[in-house]
Amino acid sequence: MKRVLIVNQGKSANLGDKAIRLVLKKYFEEAGYEVSNAGYTHFEENTIGDFDISNYKMVRRFDFPVLIKWILKKRRELRQEMQKYRGNYDYFILGGGQLVKSKCYFPYAFAAWTRFGKYAKHKYIIGVGSDTDLKWCDRKKYRYHLKEYERILVRDTESFQTIKNLGIKNVSSMPDVAYLMCGYLEKDLVQKEERDEISLIMIFDYNTYKYHFHEELDFDAYRLFWEDKIRQELELNHKVLLGYTTVEDKKQTIEIYNTLPEIYKNQVRILDLDNLDDLMKELMAVKYIYSGRMHALILGMTMGCEVHGIPVSDKLRIFENEYLMA
C-alpha cells in the first residue's frame, strides 16, 4: 500500500482546519493510500470543548519577535512532531489552508516541512491560500522552497497570482477542498429541502480582527456592528442563533451575547458547536449564515444554506468575489 503524509493545521481546534483534514484523509484513503496526518504548527489534537472559555487567552505575545519565539520554543516542538512521522512516503502533501503567511510561524514551518518531505517520491501542495502582503524576507523564503514541489494547487486567483509573481511556474488554482465535505458526511446527515427562517450569525474574534487586519473599528463599534446584525435579522422575523468555528470566536460570541439588551438576549441562543459533527448537523437546519470565517461559509454552502460573508479580511473579500458574487 502506498503511503501519504499530509501536513496542515487539522490538529487545531479550528473546525475549518478539521474539515480540510477530514476531506483530504478520506480522499486518499478511498484512493487506496495509507494516510498519516501531521501538524503544520499546531501539534496537539484539540477540540473547542477542550478549552475553558472563561479563562482562555490567545497565545499572542508582543514580548519577542516571531523569529525569536520560533527559535526558543516552536522549532523544538516541530522537530518533536517530525519524529513521529519519520519514514518513507510515496507522497508528501502540504495543505490545505492559508499556510503561506507572514507575521507568524508559518514561513519557518513551511521551510522546515519542505525540507522534511524531500525524501518522498512526490511532493505536492494542495488547496493552499496565500496572503497577498507577504514581507520581503518571507517572499524570498517561500520562493526558494516552493520550487521544490512538483505541483502547486492554490484555492483562489489572488493566491495564484501571488505565487506566480514569486517566479513559480507550476502553480494552478482549484476550489477549496472543503467543498468536498458534503461527499464525506455520514448518511444520516440529510439536507432539509424546506428550511425555517433561521439565521446563524457567527461572530468573528475582535483581537484576531485587529491583530491580523489592522482595521479601524474600536471594540464598542465592533460590538455594535454585530448587535445591529442580530437586530436586523430579528426584525425580519428570523430566529437567530449564534455560532462559532474557533475557540477565540466562541469566547467573543459569549462576551458579546452577555452585552446584548435583554430584549435581544431573550430571543437569541448560542449553539454548542464544539466539534465538526455538531456544526454540520446544525447547518442542516439553518437557512442563512453570516460569518467572517471562509470555511464556515463553504461548509454552509455544501449544506444548502444561503451564505453571507462579513468581510473582515482580504481572504473573505477574495472568497466573496470568486464564489458569492460570481
Side-chain angles (χ1 to χ4, degrees):
M1 181 180 291
K2 291 185 177 181
R3 302 179 68 207
V4 57
L5 175 63
I6 302 173
V7 180
N8 53 40
Q9 292 289 73
K11 291 186 178 183
S12 76
N14 186 307
L15 299 186
D17 288 325
K18 288 192 177 299
I20 289 171
R21 181 178 65 170
L22 175 62
V23 167
L24 288 175
K25 183 174 186 291
K26 292 283 189 180
Y27 176 84
F28 282 100
E29 285 179 342
E30 290 186 0
Y33 290 87
E34 177 187 332
V35 178
S36 298
N37 287 109
Y40 186 55
T41 66
H42 193 102
F43 312 126
E44 294 184 17
E45 191 71 50
N46 290 129
T47 67
I48 295 175
D50 293 334
F51 295 88
D52 178 0
I53 295 300
S54 62
N55 294 316
Y56 178 79
K57 291 184 179 180
M58 180 181 283
V59 180
R60 183 178 291 149
R61 302 288 186 264
F62 298 92
D63 47 357
F64 293 109
V66 171
L67 176 58
I68 301 301
K69 291 188 288 186
W70 170 263
I71 293 171
L72 293 178
K73 181 182 180 183
K74 187 61 73 169
R75 184 170 61 181
R76 180 180 68 255
E77 293 178 353
L78 183 139
R79 288 172 175 169
Q80 292 170 347
E81 177 78 353
M82 287 177 170
Q83 287 297 326
K84 305 174 189 175
Y85 300 98
R86 296 288 179 187
N88 297 317
Y89 293 94
D90 296 280
Y91 289 89
F92 175 85
I93 307 294
L94 188 65
Q98 193 84 354
L99 301 187
V100 180
K101 295 171 63 70
S102 289
K103 299 188 295 184
C104 62
Y105 294 135
F106 284 16
Y108 312 107
F110 191 95
W113 278 115
T114 300
R115 290 192 294 267
F116 181 84
K118 66 182 178 180
Y119 297 113
K121 295 177 182 178
H122 304 281
K123 288 168 60 177
Y124 293 154
I125 291 176
I126 296 180
V128 163
S130 169
D131 285 358
T132 57
D133 58 342
L134 298 173
K135 294 168 59 177
W136 71 268
C137 55
D138 294 333
R139 290 172 61 86
K140 183 177 180 180
K141 188 185 299 289
Y142 283 122
R143 180 187 297 114
Y144 178 83
H145 292 287
L146 282 164
K147 292 178 180 178
E148 299 185 34
Y149 289 88
E150 291 180 39
R151 190 173 183 190
I152 300 167
L153 298 171
V154 296
R155 64 187 185 185
D156 59 75
T157 55
E158 292 211 21
S159 294
F160 170 83
Q161 197 58 55
T162 299
I163 301 300
K164 199 79 173 175
N165 289 343
L166 295 177
I168 306 302
K169 297 180 179 180
N170 57 332
V171 57
S172 53
S173 60
M174 61 173 283
D176 192 283
V177 297
Y179 278 107
L180 300 175
M181 184 68 183
C182 195
Y184 296 116
L185 295 175
E186 302 213 358
K187 294 180 180 179
D188 61 339
L189 291 180
V190 180
Q191 299 179 33
K192 292 174 63 177
E193 293 185 7
E194 296 294 331
R195 299 184 185 228
D196 297 330
E197 296 290 312
I198 302 174
S199 296
L200 174 59
I201 297 176
M202 310 185 83
I203 297 173
F204 192 91
D205 173 54
Y206 178 74
N207 289 328
T208 303
Y209 166 81
K210 291 291 287 186
Y211 181 83
H212 285 292
F213 312 125
H214 303 290
E215 301 294 346
E216 296 180 356
L217 290 180
D218 61 24
F219 180 74
D220 285 339
Y222 189 77
R223 176 182 57 79
L224 288 173
F225 168 83
W226 290 104
E227 184 179 313
D228 284 345
K229 178 59 64 180
I230 292 169
R231 176 184 54 77
Q232 292 165 13
E233 293 303 297
L234 290 173
E235 289 178 351
L236 291 171
N237 293 317
H238 294 175
K239 179 180 179 181
V240 174
L241 302 171
L242 303 182
Y244 48 86
T245 59
T246 73
V247 182
E248 296 80 20
D249 290 1
K250 180 179 181 179
K251 183 178 179 67
Q252 190 67 85
T253 297
I254 294 171
E255 290 176 349
I256 288 182
Y257 172 83
N258 288 334
T259 67
L260 290 174
E262 289 300 321
I263 190 174
Y264 299 149
K265 192 182 297 184
N266 292 336
Q267 301 177 71
V268 174
R269 179 168 64 91
I270 301 177
L271 294 174
D272 183 359
L273 301 180
D274 285 356
N275 61 63
L276 190 56
D277 287 341
D278 291 338
L279 173 63
M280 299 308 293
K281 288 175 182 176
E282 293 293 348
L283 293 181
M284 290 190 298
V286 304
K287 188 170 183 177
Y288 311 102
I289 296 178
Y290 297 87
S291 178
R293 297 283 182 184
M294 187 180 75
H295 284 109
L297 299 174
I298 291 175
L299 296 177
M301 291 174 72
T302 69
M303 296 302 288
C305 304
E306 180 181 313
V307 303
H308 302 272
I310 306 296
V312 296
S313 68
D314 287 340
K315 181 170 64 174
L316 249 293
R317 295 183 184 98
I318 293 167
F319 172 76
E320 278 196 310
N321 290 336
E322 294 194 18
Y323 294 102
L324 301 186
M325 301 173 66

